[in-house]
């Protein structure tokens, strides 16, 4: 796993469960009775995309671990902020989880004036995985690798017909990466925001958008094999393949033009920051149990996920703080402005 992109310290399972048991043993009745009803799981994008696929893998095993139904809710829009705001508007009792990533939690508050919450309004409960990223293009784009894309972008910009790149919304990680590449190439490109990966994938396959710098899964590999889209390269470190799913696809960092452009996208579960500590402990333990399920791990790996060791609540908090600092630094580097 790319240490620069996804730095999570390994945690022995015995220590994790031992700490949880010790904490919950002295917890008040509030935690001992949690959850008292079904638990909502907010996916801030439409059904059919990778985010939704992750939630569907976790949904039933997490229900078993909690002893209550977990119900997935899809609410796309405003780079995931609509779903985030709904979770923040619910009681801070742990009965509404948010499936989040840097897109919605860190970048959207900096890029969108309409987003009124801050990264610090959420608390990470557990990391679920990191997913590989790649540069995808419409099937007939006259470029087969990242160096050719850079040359094509310069030519198109000079002719007054800049290439288009799609993302899941203004301020999303994919928007930031597209803008970063545009600066590296020295060529203006036109950003086309979507409400989720599913409609973006549809338009990319249909030729309505030129490229996308985006997290990839089994569906994207299948589309490439069918000749409906093309891979210009993964965002793995030079000379590396992060997951077997992308074997045979070189990294963009292996080219002559782009260097140090290695990223992946992590996903985790979050609650309001003022959720009681015993409830956070209970959710943390249930998610660790869920992620230890061999079937859950196998299904997430099948769609491209890299599964980290479980974190205890304190470690999850530190990791979220570190990731927030990292992505804020990237946003500053490209002079991301709120719109």
């Amino acid at each position: 796993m790319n240490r620069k992109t996804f730095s999570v310290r390994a945690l022995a399972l015995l220590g994790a469960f031992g700490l949880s048991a010790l904490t919950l043993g002295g917890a008040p009745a509030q935690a001992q009775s949690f959850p008292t009803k079904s638990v909502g799981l907010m996916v801030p994008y439409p059904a059919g995309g990778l985010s939704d696929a992750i939630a569907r893998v976790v949904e039933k095993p997490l229900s078993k671990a909690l002893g209550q139904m977990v119900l997935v809710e899809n609410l796309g829009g405003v780079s995931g902020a609509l779903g985030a705001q709904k979770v923040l508007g619910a009681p801070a009792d742990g009965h509404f989880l948010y499936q989040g990533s840097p897109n919605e939690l860190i970048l959207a508050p900096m890029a969108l004036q309409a987003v009124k919450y801050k990264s610090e309004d959420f608390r990470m409960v557990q990391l679920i995985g990191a997913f590989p990223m790649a540069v995808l293009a419409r099937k007939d784009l006259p470029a087969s690798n990242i160096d050719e894309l850079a040359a094509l972008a310069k030519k198109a910009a000079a002719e007054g017909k800049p290439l288009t790149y799609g993302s899941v919304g203004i301020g999303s990680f994919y928007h930031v990466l597209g803008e970063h590449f545009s600066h590296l190439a020295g060529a203006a490109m036109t950003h086309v925001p979507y409400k989720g990966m599913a409609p973006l994938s549809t338009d990319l396959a249909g030729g309505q958008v030129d490229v996308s710098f985006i997290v990839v899964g089994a569906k994207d590999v299948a589309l490439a094999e069918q000749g409906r889209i093309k891979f210009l390269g993964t965002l793995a470190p030079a000379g590396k393949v992060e997951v077997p799913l992308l074997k045979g696809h070189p990294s963009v960092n292996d080219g002559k033009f782009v260097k140090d452009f290695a990223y992946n996208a992590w996903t985790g579960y979050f609650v309001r920051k003022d959720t009681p500590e015993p409830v956070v402990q209970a959710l943390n333990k249930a998610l660790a149990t869920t992620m230890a399920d061999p079937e859950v791990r196998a299904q997430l790996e099948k769609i491209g996920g890299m599964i980290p060791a479980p974190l205890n609540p304190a470690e999850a908090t530190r990791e979220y703080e570190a990731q927030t600092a990292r992505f804020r630094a990237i946003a500053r580097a490209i002079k991301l402005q709120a719109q």
Side-chain angles (χ1 to χ4, degrees), residues 96-130:
F96 210 170
L97 287 169
Y98 185 78
Q99 183 174 291
S101 72
N103 290 332
E104 316 83 28
L105 295 163
I106 304 171
L107 295 171
M110 291 188 291
L112 299 171
Q113 294 180 356
V115 175
K116 303 304 180 184
Y117 62 82
K118 305 184 298 296
S119 303
E120 291 77 8
D121 291 335
F122 284 93
R123 178 176 179 180
M124 180 187 283
V125 178
Q126 190 67 266
L127 275 168
I128 297 301

Side-chain angles (χ1 to χ4, degrees), residues 14-303:
L14 180 60
F17 289 118
L19 177 59
S20 297
L22 178 62
T23 305
L24 291 173
Q30 180 182 22
Q32 294 174 0
S33 62
F34 175 84
T36 60
K37 57 183 179 180
S38 62
V39 175
L41 175 52
M42 172 60 71
V43 176
Y45 299 104
L50 182 59
S51 294
D52 182 63
I54 295 168
R56 302 299 170 178
V57 170
V58 172
E59 180 182 14
K60 290 183 179 179
L62 182 57
S63 295
K64 181 179 178 180
L66 288 172
Q68 289 280 358
M69 288 291 294
V70 173
L71 304 174
V72 174
E73 178 179 346
N74 297 89
L75 181 60
V78 197
S79 292
L82 287 183
Q85 200 62 61
K86 186 169 182 177
V87 172
L88 289 175
D93 58 7
H95 286 93
F96 210 170
L97 287 169
Y98 185 78
Q99 183 174 291
S101 72
N103 290 332
E104 316 83 28
L105 295 163
I106 304 171
L107 295 171
M110 291 188 291
L112 299 171
Q113 294 180 356
V115 175
K116 303 304 180 184
Y117 62 82
K118 305 184 298 296
S119 303
E120 291 77 8
D121 291 335
F122 284 93
R123 178 176 179 180
M124 180 187 283
V125 178
Q126 190 67 266
L127 275 168
I128 297 301
F131 290 79
M133 301 187 71
V135 184
L136 305 181
R138 57 180 170 86
K139 63 181 180 181
D140 54 352
L141 188 77
S144 58
N145 56 53
I146 200 70
D147 290 338
E148 291 180 3
L149 176 63
L152 181 63
K154 289 182 179 180
K155 180 175 181 293
E159 294 173 349
K161 299 177 181 179
L163 296 182
T164 58
Y165 70 95
S167 81
V168 297
I170 296 172
S172 69
F173 188 21
Y174 317 127
H175 173 205
V176 168
L177 287 182
E179 193 66 23
H180 187 24
F181 175 79
S182 176
H183 282 286
L184 288 174
M189 297 174 66
T190 300
H191 175 225
V192 182
Y194 289 81
K195 289 186 177 181
M197 280 193 284
L200 169 54
S201 295
T202 297
D203 273 11
L204 190 65
Q208 276 75 51
V209 65
D210 292 320
V211 296
S212 181
F213 302 76
I214 200 163
V215 65
V216 293
K219 288 184 178 180
D220 302 294
V221 174
L223 287 173
E225 291 174 346
Q226 295 164 13
R228 298 174 62 189
I229 62 172
K230 64 169 70 175
F231 273 76
L232 299 187
T234 75
L235 300 192
K240 293 185 179 180
V241 176
E242 290 186 306
V243 294
L245 180 71
L246 298 180
K247 185 177 181 180
H249 294 290
S251 167
V252 300
N253 294 285
D254 293 331
K256 297 179 180 179
F257 175 71
V258 174
K259 301 297 180 184
D260 197 26
F261 202 65
Y263 300 95
N264 60 36
W266 54 259
T267 299
Y269 288 106
F270 294 77
V271 292
R272 283 178 43 170
K273 67 175 182 180
D274 50 347
T275 300
E277 184 66 26
V279 172
V280 174
Q281 292 277 357
L283 285 168
N284 176 271
K285 180 179 179 180
L287 283 164
T289 299
T290 299
M291 298 312 298
D293 185 326
E295 182 62 22
V296 171
R297 299 177 70 87
Q299 289 187 56
L300 289 177
E301 288 171 356
K302 185 177 180 180
I303 59 176

